[in-house]
Amino acid sequence: MGRRRTPELYRAPFPLYALRVDPSAGLLIAAGGGGAAKTGIKNGVHFLQLEQINGRLSASLLHSHDTETRATMNLALAGNILAAGQDAHCQLLRFQIHQQKGKNKAEKAGSKEQGPRQRKGAAPAEKKSGAETHQEGVEFSVENLHEVQTDFSRDPLQKVVCFNHDNTLLATGGTDGCVRVWKVPTLEKVLEFKAHEGEIEDLALGPDGKLVTVGWDLKASVWQKDQLVTQLHWQENGPTFSNTPYRYQACSESGTFLGLGTVTGSVAIYIAFSLQRLYYVKEAHGIVVTDVAFLPEKGRGPELLGSHETALFSVAVDSRCQLHLLPSRRSAPVWLLLLLCVGLIVMTILLLQSAFPGFL
């Protein structure tokens, strides 16, 4: 498949590492930064407002939150609470958005521009307070709730964070191979155990209390609290025809589709149950894709999707957030196809009756 052009939805003033979508408010949350190095590259979390403008899905910078000397490398979202992995720590943030009174639709429409905003160059300079709201008529606040160290290796780094199904617990994993589970929002530790020899690459908390982890030791494990339930090992359960080393790796799923980003910058969308590839852009970013996320099919998701079947967002170290749209594969509604079939049957019967008067 030839190389296609993908819409650049947004360009940040720093490398992007993490991405989440809030469908209820129509927000795209992108985070990253240059870290503690004194290179002049900022660290921050940017809140983007998703909108349909003239039939196109667009994003505009709504609010920028400065994370000072720490780059956010991973994110989890639970309602209006963000869990941000920054170096060896997890920072809980609460954001709130309010429309100011006195702004009518005409005033709002007059302030909008068609298509993506902040595409060329950096975002406007942030205030000394470390935060700035970039749209008139909107009050946006970000509050630091709690912070805790979650990794204790020689070079500590939190690599993954996730909430459980009811958002009462938070699980973290990092370079020391340990899983730690915390209460939300107090970040009181309730569980800690060694899950992998080496780094934890990804983890997920199930509704039944089970925990799934994948690590650099080529293992994928299922846990009930700190007790191992079952385990897969690539050398035993994976391909045996190649000496190439493999690792289990994470991807984004919407229930219907799987979205993948590669170390070479390519992006693909697959059907989840059959792994049939529906969309592929080779080297869309040209550098490692650090995160992907689907636009959920709830909240404002269907409104923002328009005529498309799904939308996948991708971010990379190149500071860009790209939009990948999958056109609807349904050429006509089912009821219309049935109606056409009935019509064809009726026409066939009438033609046969006219040609053969004794028919029927």
Side-chain angles (χ1 to χ4, degrees):
M1 186 178 294
R3 183 174 299 194
R4 69 175 85 179
R5 182 180 178 87
T6 55
E8 181 181 303
L9 197 67
Y10 179 72
R11 179 170 292 188
F14 46 71
L16 292 171
Y17 295 106
L19 183 68
R20 286 295 178 268
V21 182
D22 177 6
S24 60
L27 290 178
L28 183 64
I29 304 168
K38 297 180 179 180
T39 59
I41 300 176
K42 293 184 178 181
N43 302 293
V45 179
H46 281 191
F47 297 82
L48 311 175
Q49 184 69 66
L50 294 171
E51 299 172 290
Q52 272 281 350
I53 300 178
N54 295 334
R56 294 176 55 193
L57 183 58
S58 301
S60 56
L61 181 60
L62 179 63
H63 183 84
S64 55
H65 176 72
D66 190 352
T67 56
E68 300 178 353
T69 61
R70 294 178 180 173
T72 298
M73 305 300 291
N74 42 84
L75 283 175
L77 177 65
N80 67 335
I81 294 181
L82 273 175
Q86 299 170 352
D87 298 334
H89 296 76
C90 183
Q91 173 78 61
L92 280 191
L93 305 169
R94 178 189 286 131
F95 62 90
Q96 294 182 334
I97 179 172
H98 300 285
Q99 293 287 342
Q100 292 179 352
K101 294 181 180 180
K103 283 283 182 179
N104 58 38
K105 291 184 178 180
E107 289 174 323
K108 291 179 182 178
S111 64
K112 290 180 181 177
E113 299 176 4
Q114 180 180 344
R117 303 181 192 175
Q118 301 294 341
R119 293 182 59 185
K120 297 180 181 179
E126 297 181 356
K127 298 178 181 178
K128 292 182 179 179
S129 63
E132 184 177 357
T133 300
H134 297 260
Q135 289 189 14
E136 293 183 2
V138 174
E139 291 181 355
F140 199 108
S141 62
V142 179
E143 175 189 3
N144 293 326
L145 294 179
H146 294 284
E147 178 184 328
V148 67
Q149 185 170 350
T150 61
D151 194 84
F152 296 88
S153 61
R154 179 176 297 179
D155 297 310
L157 177 67
Q158 176 181 300
K159 298 201 67 179
V160 61
V161 58
C162 73
F163 289 95
N164 67 342
H165 70 290
D166 61 1
N167 302 328
T168 58
L169 296 174
L170 183 73
T172 60
T175 54
D176 65 3
C178 290
V179 170
R180 295 175 177 89
V181 181
W182 316 82
K183 286 184 180 180
V184 176
T186 62
L187 293 184
E188 175 189 347
K189 187 166 61 178
V190 296
L191 182 65
E192 177 179 352
F193 64 94
K194 182 76 170 181
H196 292 273
E197 295 300 326
E199 302 180 10
I200 292 179
E201 191 69 27
D202 200 13
L203 54 79
L205 283 165
D208 57 355
K210 288 188 174 68
L211 177 72
V212 180
T213 62
V214 292
W216 276 28
D217 56 5
L218 309 180
K219 294 177 182 177
S221 305
V222 180
W223 308 85
Q224 186 71 55
K225 293 189 175 178
D226 59 351
Q227 299 300 307
L228 182 63
V229 176
T230 187
Q231 189 175 76
L232 295 175
H233 193 283
W234 186 264
Q235 303 302 332
E236 299 172 359
N237 307 102
T240 58
F241 53 82
S242 173
N243 293 324
T244 303
Y246 289 89
R247 288 204 314 262
Y248 288 93
Q249 185 59 282
C251 60
S252 176
E253 57 86 23
S254 67
T256 305
F257 303 105
L258 290 175
L260 299 179
T262 72
V263 294
T264 58
S266 302
V267 177
I269 300 175
Y270 294 79
I271 297 176
F273 72 90
S274 66
L275 293 183
Q276 176 188 351
R277 193 170 75 183
L278 301 176
Y279 175 98
Y280 177 71
V281 180
K282 183 179 180 181
E283 298 177 0
H285 286 274
I287 196 170
V288 58
V289 176
T290 48
D291 205 0
V292 292
F294 280 104
L295 177 63
E297 297 177 4
K298 58 183 179 179
R300 294 190 58 209
E303 166 200 341
L304 293 169
L305 272 177
S307 61
H308 296 91
E309 194 163 354
T310 193
L312 181 71
F313 304 101
S314 63
V315 292
V317 183
D318 61 5
S319 305
R320 294 184 298 161
C321 176
Q322 291 191 349
L323 172 64
H324 309 273
L325 292 169
L326 183 65
S328 177
R329 293 168 293 156
R330 298 171 186 153
S331 57
V334 175
W335 64 266
L336 181 57
L337 294 176
L338 291 174
L339 186 61
L340 290 173
C341 289
V342 171
L344 288 173
I345 293 173
V346 171
M347 289 181 62
T348 302
I349 292 174
L350 292 176
L351 287 173
L352 287 172
Q353 283 182 332
S354 64
F356 306 97
F359 182 77
L360 295 181

